[in-house]
Amino acid sequence: MKAIDIAIKDLTRSFRSAFAIIFMFGVPLLVTGMFYFMFGNTAENGGFDLPKTKVIIANMDEGGPRFQVNPKNIPGGREADTMGDLIVSILESDEMADLIEVSFARDPETARASVDIQQAQVALIIPPDFSEQFADMEEGKAVIEFYQDPTLTIGPAVMRSILNRFMNGMSGVKIAVNVFIDEADTSDYAMTGLVVQQYLDDSLALSEDMEGELLDIRVPVSEQKNEAEQSENLLLTIIGPIMGGMMVFYAYYTGASTAQSILTEEEEHTLPRLFTTPTSQATILTGKLLSVFLTVGMQVIVLLIASRLIFGIQWGNFTSVILAAAGIILSASSFGVFINSFFASTKQSGVLFGGILTVTGMMGMIKIFAMNSAIANKMGDTVSMLVPQGWAIRGLMQSMNGEPFNSVLITALATLAWSAAFFVIGVLRFNRRYV
Amino acid sequence: MSNMAAIEVLNLYKSFGENQAVQGVSFDVSQGEIFSLLGPNGAGKTTTISMLSCLLRPNEGDARVMGHSIRTDAMGVKSVLGVVPQEIALYEDLTARENLSFWGKMYGLRGLELKKRVGEVLEVIGLLDRANERVGKYSGGMKRRVNIGVSLLHKPKVIYMDEPTVGIDPQSRRSILDSVVALKDQGMTVLYTTHYMEEAQELSNHIAIMDHGKMIACGTHDELVKLVGGQTRIDLTLHMDDGKTIDAWRDIEGVTHVAAENGTIAVLVNDSNIVLPKLFEAATNHSARITSVAIREPNLEAVFLHLTGRALRD
Ligand SMILES: Nc1ncnc2c1ncn2[C@@H]1O[C@H](COP(=O)(O)OP(=O)(O)O)[C@@H](O)[C@H]1O
Ligand SMILES: [Mg+2]
């Protein structure tokens, strides 16, 4: 009972301090909000500002006798004599202008060379028999050579995705053309152009969703979803981990600064005074630990709910979120007790604990803070497991990604083990101090 | 049972490394009296109080508070005890009422009784009208009063007050001294520490004088003053002295102690009528001028001077 009184007293004090409130709730929500608006705005204005992919095309297509399209229906209004011309005109169209920058080479060697010297990121080589192969109903195999800078990922991926869409559309076209040719008189060859056109329109419509889909790594955007929903989802996949990272970081901060109140109370003489009342040392320490736990608990629960309401972040299913949150709360509180038990005074801890929390926090959340770097990603997987923050955020991410309950549980148990170790060491050290 | 000592102190020792803070202190405090530990800073008063409130474990010795041993029954000691620490030990971001309410709970008070006691104590310390203000906004004197109030909540039989008047205005000091007497009148036993001789003299039934961790004298005020014998204390101020005058005074027959502090020189003499002219003569011989002279009734400062050769005030 007295332990609870001590904890309530500490909670009252924490929540009365504007400084504490700002750090517990204000900063994590504000930072996330900043990202939300930063990314939210660009998402609304038609996607993130990806650097344009530079594409160099060597169009060697010599056309085929039976290939004809209606020029006025072709995107970009260009007259296309060959299948190759058609691809070129699509890549040059206004719809693609945001994503790619097209230039031309006279022959395949020049095109490849300009990728080699990094003037372009992708070279597309359309072979001379492309139209012919395309029009060959039985055995034709129309292939475009795709030559890319191996050190790059995003630009060529954008291109490949566009082309895949296009080629998928084209194989549809090819089947349609075959069907058409089978059923039509040979003199109607000119009509094939219209059929192709129809499929092209479809595949271009699809490619408008391209950016969203490319960046949206975890949530595959189904094609039926409207654009607004897509950019919202995309935003959340970025905001979610940031909010999670902020929450873990500041929960640890709260844990450490609340546990620091044991030292503060010693310096402000209220701890010795507590020892003059008929209250056992175990009760006093329990009360202090309880207050750390409850303060961090309040913070995490409020942040989970607030970020759900404000940003619409989906933290996962209920039991997983509970497990992940328990992991964060327990590890942050016990880590706070643990590190403070090594400090003789708040003077010492004030200088050191900011540094310790920053370093371990960065280690644990390296993946979130260094978003797009491949090296950070790889490093993050191992380094983050060396600090409790890594496990705490891992549980939350697993819950967010909808991973099976068992994975979340295992992470939670590992986090619990960390917490137990910190807790035992911290309590033993504090106990020894005050006997 | 009523003639049992409230506090019995038996040969307490405490050292911090090399520093022997308390070296064999023993005394008895009767129930219902005010007992003062008088001594300069660093004498070992707080260390003694800390051992008697079970905050520090003595290296040697024991003490009983209302029959509870500080070694074997700390909870028993703490439950009969109210401690007013030397430093203000309050939560500044909580109001006076919240502070009292929290500390009341720590003393085991609950519910209606707690509420009633908090109200009563607020009235006693005269802060009822400002009870809902944060302690951080209070003046030093008001904080001191809350600091005392906290230790009265559970109506302890014994109360320790460690220099409760340090650093406050004369008015607050007066009210604190009055309240100490009021506590005694209600039957409480008060162990009071101070380095102000006037406070010890005014309040105490018994006084123990401490210096360098040792208790150098103990008794009633009158008993202690008798230690000085028929000696008189003369306070003088000197103009243009190079230290030789004071040395010369020490050699005068009938002078037992000379101590200089902040420009005032305290001289303990057997008979002021005989010695005083000799003091002037010595000053003249060393070209110094006596600018003021006061002959004082023997008091606790004289006792301290007599016993230690130093003035009480540091
Ligand atoms: N916690 C401590 N650690 C080391 N030395 C201490 C401690 N507390 C007191 N002392 C030393 O013990 C001596 C007595 O101090 P204290 O009991 O506070 O004297 P007083 O209360 O009479 O001024 C002093 O020399 C002081 O420096
Ligand atoms: Mg002291």
Side-chain angles (χ1 to χ4, degrees):
Chain A
M1 192 62 190
K2 283 188 189 174
I4 294 171
D5 293 327
I6 292 173
I8 290 173
K9 177 263 300 172
D10 277 355
L11 282 177
T12 314
R13 296 182 71 202
S14 297
F15 290 112
R16 201 166 274 182
S17 145
F19 185 79
I21 294 286
I22 287 169
F23 271 86
M24 285 173 69
F25 306 111
V27 174
L29 286 172
L30 271 175
V31 172
T32 307
M34 227 173 62
F35 278 95
Y36 186 83
F37 286 113
M38 213 166 80
F39 284 116
N41 277 337
T42 52
E44 266 160 36
N45 301 338
F48 305 99
D49 258 348
L50 276 178
K52 284 188 191 175
T53 307
K54 286 185 184 153
V55 184
I56 187 157
I57 303 174
N59 181 12
M60 312 312 289
D61 195 355
E62 287 162 356
R66 293 185 294 189
F67 185 82
Q68 257 186 307
V69 281
N70 186 346
K72 76 170 192 279
N73 288 327
I74 291 186
R78 255 183 68 129
E79 183 158 342
D81 293 329
T82 67
M83 235 357 238
D85 284 354
L86 199 73
I87 290 174
V88 167
S89 60
I90 287 164
L91 293 179
E92 276 193 304
S93 68
D94 290 344
E95 288 90 340
M96 294 292 162
D98 282 345
L99 288 170
I100 55 180
E101 194 184 307
V102 178
S103 59
F104 297 95
R106 248 177 295 118
D107 47 56
E109 286 72 34
T110 325
R112 289 191 202 101
S114 68
V115 170
D116 290 340
I117 61 169
Q118 296 187 335
Q119 267 175 6
Q121 289 148 351
V122 176
L124 287 185
I125 292 134
I126 304 171
D129 60 348
F130 191 66
S131 292
E132 213 167 323
Q133 291 289 340
F134 186 80
D136 184 332
M137 282 147 275
E138 271 84 49
E139 282 150 47
K141 217 174 173 192
V143 176
I144 298 177
E145 185 186 335
F146 187 89
Y147 186 81
Q148 71 164 85
D149 182 338
T151 61
L152 298 175
T153 49
I154 291 209
V158 170
M159 263 319 290
R160 210 196 310 259
S161 175
I162 294 170
L163 283 172
N164 279 342
R165 275 289 172 82
F166 178 73
M167 294 310 272
N168 285 343
M170 276 304 163
S171 57
V173 172
K174 199 171 164 188
I175 292 160
V177 171
N178 285 343
V179 172
F180 180 79
I181 288 171
D182 281 347
E183 289 175 357
D185 202 65
T186 34
S187 62
D188 290 334
Y189 278 155
M191 289 290 287
T192 46
L194 294 175
V195 179
V196 169
Q197 185 58 49
Q198 192 190 324
Y199 279 87
L200 281 180
D201 287 347
D202 288 351
S203 72
L204 273 183
L206 295 180
S207 66
E208 273 173 10
D209 308 335
M210 208 76 74
E211 304 165 64
E213 193 179 34
L214 276 168
L215 287 173
D216 198 344
I217 305 138
R218 262 173 290 104
V219 187
V221 180
S222 89
E223 278 152 22
Q224 292 95 312
K225 278 190 184 161
N226 65 40
E227 236 174 281
E229 267 177 7
Q230 280 171 34
S231 61
E232 183 76 357
N233 274 336
L234 174 58
L235 189 58
L236 289 186
T237 60
I238 290 176
I239 293 303
I242 289 176
M243 183 67 218
M246 286 292 144
M247 187 154 64
V248 170
F249 187 86
Y250 283 97
Y252 271 68
Y253 185 87
T254 304
S257 63
T258 318
Q260 196 190 26
S261 81
I262 302 177
L263 304 182
T264 316
E265 283 216 36
E266 195 178 3
E267 285 160 22
E268 289 172 353
H269 314 289
T270 46
L271 192 66
R273 183 169 217 163
L274 273 172
F275 287 132
T276 68
T277 67
T279 311
S280 72
Q281 174 164 333
T283 305
I284 294 169
L285 200 55
T286 306
K288 296 303 292 179
L289 298 174
L290 201 60
S291 75
V292 179
F293 177 78
L294 288 178
T295 310
V296 177
M298 288 253 238
Q299 179 190 22
V300 169
I301 289 165
V302 168
L303 285 181
L304 281 172
I305 294 172
S307 56
R308 173 78 183 82
L309 296 178
I310 299 172
F311 307 117
I313 296 171
Q314 307 277 355
W315 293 113
N317 77 50
F318 190 71
T319 38
S320 296
V321 176
I322 294 287
L323 273 182
I328 297 173
I329 296 167
L330 284 171
S331 62
S333 332
S334 57
F335 191 63
V337 172
F338 172 76
I339 62 171
N340 275 291
S341 74
F342 285 87
F343 296 132
S345 67
T346 54
K347 232 183 194 172
Q348 216 179 46
S349 75
V351 175
L352 287 173
F353 96 54
I356 291 174
L357 287 181
T358 308
V359 171
T360 53
M362 292 309 270
M363 280 169 74
M365 287 167 276
I366 207 164
K367 283 172 86 166
I368 293 169
F369 291 129
M371 273 180 291
N372 256 327
S373 153
I375 304 163
N377 257 328
K378 234 178 241 159
M379 233 169 63
D381 278 332
T382 42
V383 171
S384 67
M385 300 291 97
L386 300 176
V387 290
Q389 287 98 323
W391 291 89
I393 190 71
R394 181 191 170 106
L396 191 62
M397 298 288 274
Q398 284 175 330
S399 168
M400 235 192 298
N401 295 345
E403 287 185 27
F405 180 75
N406 275 350
S407 329
V408 184
L409 183 66
I410 288 168
T411 309
L413 289 176
T415 317
L416 200 68
W418 278 97
S419 312
F422 288 141
F423 190 78
V424 167
I425 295 171
V427 167
L428 284 179
R429 289 187 58 90
F430 271 124
N431 239 328
R432 205 175 326 145
R433 197 145 148 175
Y434 297 122
V435 163
Chain B
M1 213 42 190
S2 67
N3 57 0
M4 177 190 84
I7 309 169
E8 294 170 87
V9 182
L10 301 164
N11 206 25
L12 285 180
Y13 279 85
K14 181 73 192 177
S15 50
F16 301 104
E18 293 286 281
N19 184 354
Q20 298 184 312
V22 173
Q23 308 175 47
V25 167
S26 302
F27 58 87
D28 282 358
V29 180
S30 308
Q31 286 190 33
E33 74 163 330
I34 298 175
F35 188 103
S36 289
L37 291 178
L38 172 68
N41 278 330
K45 305 183 296 293
T46 299
T47 306
T48 304
I49 291 264
S50 297
M51 287 190 280
L52 294 181
S53 43
C54 309
L55 281 181
L56 282 177
R57 223 176 156 66
N59 297 125
E60 242 182 80
D62 196 357
R64 292 178 181 283
V65 182
M66 299 305 289
H68 304 281
S69 158
I70 59 167
R71 281 192 175 275
T72 57
D73 186 13
M75 275 299 161
V77 172
K78 289 173 184 182
S79 58
V80 296
L81 200 58
V83 180
V84 182
Q86 179 169 356
E87 315 287 345
I88 288 162
L90 301 168
Y91 300 104
E92 300 225 323
D93 37 18
L94 299 183
T95 66
R97 192 185 294 279
E98 287 167 335
N99 264 289
L100 289 170
S101 182
F102 170 74
W103 290 108
K105 287 175 193 160
M106 293 303 108
Y107 280 113
L109 300 175
R110 301 271 147 197
L112 269 181
E113 198 200 353
L114 173 66
K115 216 172 164 185
K116 184 172 143 258
R117 278 304 291 156
V118 168
E120 285 170 4
V121 167
L122 279 169
E123 192 159 6
V124 167
I125 60 176
L127 288 172
L128 208 47
D129 52 333
R130 298 188 61 180
N132 298 326
E133 278 175 45
R134 291 190 197 181
V135 168
K137 290 187 189 159
Y138 282 2
S139 71
M142 291 164 78
K143 287 181 191 172
R144 284 269 167 214
R145 281 187 270 162
V146 182
N147 204 37
I148 292 171
V150 164
S151 59
L152 303 178
L153 286 161
H154 59 304
K155 297 187 173 166
K157 294 201 169 64
V158 178
I159 182 165
Y160 301 163
M161 301 177 110
D162 195 359
E163 308 216 29
T165 58
V166 166
I168 56 172
D169 58 287
Q171 207 180 336
S172 294
R173 183 178 182 185
R174 187 69 257 155
S175 102
I176 286 173
L177 293 180
D178 289 346
S179 68
V180 175
V181 174
L183 292 176
K184 182 189 107 168
D185 293 344
Q186 289 162 30
M188 270 186 211
T189 307
V190 182
L191 178 60
Y192 189 97
T193 84
T194 182
H195 65 266
Y196 297 122
M197 146 333 261
E198 307 89 326
E199 285 186 4
Q201 180 171 348
E202 179 189 333
L203 295 175
S204 322
N205 302 94
H206 287 92
I207 299 161
I209 300 180
M210 285 189 77
D211 190 39
H212 291 311
K214 290 187 177 131
M215 217 182 70
I216 54 175
C218 184
T220 63
H221 176 258
D222 292 347
E223 284 166 0
L224 289 172
V225 167
K226 273 191 196 132
L227 291 175
V228 198
Q231 294 189 85
T232 307
R233 175 176 156 174
I234 306 172
D235 285 348
L236 306 102
T237 52
L238 267 180
H239 186 62
M240 306 227 308
D241 178 50
D242 50 8
K244 285 183 184 145
T245 312
I246 292 176
D247 288 339
W249 285 352
R250 288 207 170 92
D251 298 332
I252 295 170
E253 207 189 316
V255 171
T256 53
H257 288 285
V258 180
E261 41 144 341
N262 321 326
T264 305
I265 300 131
V267 182
L268 219 50
V269 301
N270 287 331
D271 186 337
S272 56
N273 278 355
I274 296 169
V275 174
L276 202 51
K278 294 182 180 169
L279 295 178
F280 277 91
E281 197 184 311
T284 310
N285 289 346
H286 291 91
S287 330
R289 199 152 53 83
I290 293 173
T291 48
S292 77
V293 181
I295 299 171
R296 309 226 181 258
E297 280 298 298
N299 61 17
L300 293 171
E301 293 219 34
V303 176
F304 192 83
L305 186 62
H306 172 71
L307 293 173
T308 67
R310 288 179 292 115
L312 181 55
R313 302 279 165 77
D314 45 341

